[in-house]
Amino acid sequence: MSSSRPAGTPAPPPDGPRNGPPVSGQEFDVLFDAVRTWGRWADAGRGAWNRVTAERVREAAALVRSGTVVALGRPWDTVPGPDNAKPALHFMSDLGDVEAPEPSAHKDFIGADYHGKAVSHLDAPAHIAYRGRLYGGGAARELVGAGGARFGDVAALGPLVARGVLLDLPAVLGAAWLEPGHAVHAADVVAAEEALGVTVGEGDAALLRVGRFRRRRELGAWDPGEACAGFHVDAVPLLAERGVALLGSDGDSDVRPSPVEGVHSPVHALALTAMGVPLLDNLDLEALSAACAGAGRHAFLLVVAPLNIPGGTGSPVAPVAVL
């Protein structure tokens, strides 16, 4: 991180970010084409969510044993900070003091520029274009305008009920968290599966815990857009081969700084634009980590219900895991 970081902001590890190896723009384009699923599904706007069939929902529901429900959404964050440049809004719009007698009503307003580093949210395919194209190959300038997206919007996705798998990298490594800039590679995913006794499969939602919010609570906030643990692009072919339907993290899935020349969010481009895989960003996975460790298993029922926003490029969400 730069020397201009705010007072109290933790520094990156002394040996610098471990976000490599570097990837050239040409190498990235080859990888993009290798994992691309354009034209695979008739309902193209839902992308990889087409993988979650009724049978897979039934299989996911069968994972519920104790009935433990774990919330994965962060508190609505109205406090500005290095990781919250555009704080969410919450204010009272009616305190009940002007209502007709009985009953009085209290009303409030919320709002958020949620595509950032503070609000737990879902990215729909329309959120990211690469070289001017959305998932499926349509021109972004023709499909997304001032009125919203006409393809790949969050309303087309609808809710998701699927098998969730927690890839708890800090637990596997015996650490409290991964330091900002730590890249998670394909070999790390396989090692985590072996250590946790779980395998990511077709139609699954793979959730990567890097321990971001534990680090934040213990050391203070920093700018995760500048440095954050996450997937290196070399992990994406493995996830593509496994047929994931959704990726999520307590970061935003990308390791930062980006290892790819000229591409600031390469995992976003690969997942959303090449593969049609929606992303969950800024989850709080600490309680889920504890619950999975206590249950001795890292697969569970996951429920994601975005707001029904026609034309929306995503939505604030508060997913739940059920063990």
Side-chain angles (χ1 to χ4, degrees):
M1 296 176 68
S2 69
S3 59
S4 62
R5 65 179 182 274
T9 301
D15 58 350
R18 298 181 293 276
N19 66 324
V23 177
S24 71
Q26 183 178 10
E27 290 171 324
F28 180 76
D29 285 347
V30 171
L31 177 56
F32 185 96
D33 288 340
V35 300
R36 192 171 60 183
T37 62
W38 296 2
R40 179 168 299 185
W41 295 290
D43 191 356
R46 299 187 74 241
W49 280 18
N50 284 287
R51 291 190 168 111
V52 186
T53 62
E55 178 60 27
R56 297 203 185 281
V57 173
R58 289 191 293 270
E59 291 171 355
L63 294 171
V64 177
R65 300 173 191 169
S66 67
T68 300
V69 177
V70 184
L72 310 183
R74 294 199 67 226
W76 197 245
D77 197 341
T78 61
V79 181
D83 56 351
N84 196 11
K86 298 177 180 179
L89 301 176
H90 177 224
F91 59 83
M92 300 304 296
S93 57
D94 191 339
L95 294 177
D97 52 1
V98 295
E99 297 280 342
E102 303 311 336
S104 58
H106 307 102
K107 305 172 188 176
D108 51 354
F109 169 92
I110 59 171
D113 189 350
Y114 60 88
H115 282 302
K117 309 302 180 186
V119 176
S120 299
H121 67 270
L122 176 74
D123 290 340
H127 175 50
I128 294 290
Y130 183 64
R131 299 198 182 282
R133 301 287 172 177
L134 294 178
Y135 177 71
R141 66 173 55 193
E142 297 175 2
L143 294 172
V144 184
R150 295 190 296 278
F151 173 83
D153 65 337
V154 72
L157 288 177
L160 179 77
V161 178
R163 178 180 183 257
V165 173
L166 179 65
L167 298 172
D168 196 339
L169 266 293
V172 171
L173 297 174
W177 55 73
L178 304 186
E179 285 291 346
H182 185 124
V184 175
H185 301 276
D188 299 317
V189 173
V190 173
E193 290 176 323
E194 293 175 353
L196 300 171
V198 70
T199 302
V200 176
E202 179 82 14
D204 283 353
L207 306 184
L208 172 66
R209 175 179 173 257
V210 301
R212 173 187 163 198
F213 290 107
R214 178 170 176 182
R215 188 182 195 274
R216 186 183 191 273
R217 284 192 281 270
E218 294 190 18
L219 299 182
W222 74 98
D223 182 1
E226 193 173 324
C228 192
F231 286 117
H232 189 278
V233 295
D234 68 13
V236 176
L238 173 65
L239 297 168
E241 179 183 336
R242 297 291 183 78
V244 295
L246 174 68
L247 287 179
S249 178
D250 46 1
D252 68 359
S253 292
D254 269 287
V255 66
R256 301 184 186 280
S258 168
V260 180
E261 173 189 14
V263 183
H264 65 80
S265 299
V267 172
H268 274 62
L270 293 174
L272 289 162
T273 315
M275 299 161 57
V277 173
L279 298 176
L280 287 172
D281 295 346
N282 310 319
L283 303 177
D284 191 331
L285 299 176
E286 297 309 302
L288 181 61
S289 174
C292 286
R297 58 192 178 97
H298 287 74
F300 43 85
L301 175 69
L302 180 71
V303 180
V304 182
L307 299 176
N308 187 352
I309 307 172
T313 62
S315 168
V317 287
V320 296
V322 188
L323 283 78

